[in-house]
Amino acid sequence: MKPPAEPASPLAPAHLDQLAEQRWCLVDGFAGRDEALAARAAAASLDRAGALTPAGLGRGGDHRLNRATRGDRTVWLDDQRPVFGRAAARFERVRIALNRAAFLGLERFDLQLAFYPGDGAHYARHRDAFSGSSNRLITAIWYLNPDWRPAHGGRLRLFVPGEPVVEPTLDRLVVFFSEEVEHAVEPSHGDRWAMTAWMRRPDSTRPLL
Ligand code: OGA
Ligand code: MN
């Protein structure tokens, strides 16, 4: 008996090769236009409901200082928000594809929505994880911006050889190694939505027994 057909991998062999060699890769048409637009609409209604908060706030942080580093506002998407279940299932397929192809041992991911309101907000050069100090291994970012134009700026800049830049256009996915790839978001002059999954290895500090 044949096992039931599995959905196609979201990452083609060429994507996996690029990720292995260059530590990042780009996938256009990740989920399809309709799904990307539906995610954006759900994101916008979450923002209208006041669910997003300025990134990096809290824990005694200085708001002005944080805004100089990053000007987006964000919300974590957990199981309490079933409207994003389809999107979460897409990222889950990425996790499984990476584990199968490269034995990365990714155990789970955290999912976050981020919105740059088009007032020149940016995110200074940074890494998403520091080696040894975190179990974040892979960053995957899905852009939800149907009317993006070059004049909006807001490109993701990757500090790898060749310094590629990525426009945050609708249904585009960028994947990179969280500890290795420094990156920045250029000042954004349009509504800029992104959904990011940080894929994690098991916590190595967790006692085994
Ligand atoms: C981040 C980040 C990049 C982007 O949220 O850590 O670097 O293109 N985002 O939105
Ligand atoms: Mn980042």
Side-chain angles (χ1 to χ4, degrees):
M1 237 176 31
K2 273 209 285 185
E6 286 191 28
S9 167
L11 302 176
H15 298 129
L16 294 163
D17 287 348
Q18 194 198 346
L19 188 62
E21 282 157 28
Q22 296 170 32
R23 316 315 277 167
W24 74 285
C25 75
L26 185 70
V27 181
D28 275 320
F30 173 51
R33 184 178 170 82
D34 290 351
E35 228 176 285
L37 289 173
R40 185 201 169 95
S45 75
L46 211 53
D47 192 38
R48 282 193 299 274
L52 280 76
T53 52
L57 259 185
R59 289 190 209 138
D62 175 340
H63 189 187
R64 280 180 306 134
L65 192 74
N66 285 324
R67 186 165 157 90
T69 306
R70 62 185 294 190
D72 56 337
R73 51 183 192 260
T74 62
V75 62
W76 292 105
L77 301 177
D78 52 27
D79 296 342
Q80 309 304 309
R81 305 201 186 273
V83 66
F84 295 101
R86 272 173 95 192
R90 292 274 173 200
F91 284 103
E92 175 65 3
R93 284 168 56 190
V94 172
R95 186 186 73 84
I96 289 167
L98 290 169
N99 282 347
R100 283 205 184 141
F103 308 106
L104 293 185
L106 302 168
E107 187 183 52
R108 49 182 286 264
F109 58 83
D110 300 318
L111 200 57
Q112 185 183 72
L113 263 177
F115 177 58
Y116 294 75
D119 56 357
H122 73 294
Y123 194 160
R125 179 172 176 164
H126 67 283
R127 286 178 218 261
D128 288 348
F130 295 96
S131 43
S133 67
S134 165
N135 47 11
R136 280 182 179 177
L137 187 69
I138 290 282
T139 302
I141 310 174
W142 183 34
Y143 296 113
L144 306 174
N145 308 304
D147 303 312
W148 198 262
R149 293 197 305 276
H152 292 143
R155 297 180 304 182
L156 173 68
R157 181 174 287 278
L158 299 169
F159 297 95
V160 295
E163 293 206 8
V165 287
V166 177
E167 298 233 2
T169 56
L170 186 74
D171 204 25
R172 176 169 266 184
L173 183 79
V174 180
V175 182
F176 55 84
F177 281 87
S178 311
E179 291 175 355
E180 294 177 49
V181 176
E182 281 188 82
H183 55 283
V185 177
E186 295 178 334
S188 175
H189 306 290
D191 278 6
R192 183 189 192 277
W193 281 101
M195 192 184 295
T196 300
W198 287 283
M199 306 205 175
R200 315 178 81 104
R201 288 184 149 153
D203 185 350
S204 56
T205 62
R206 189 177 54 193
L208 292 177
L209 286 173

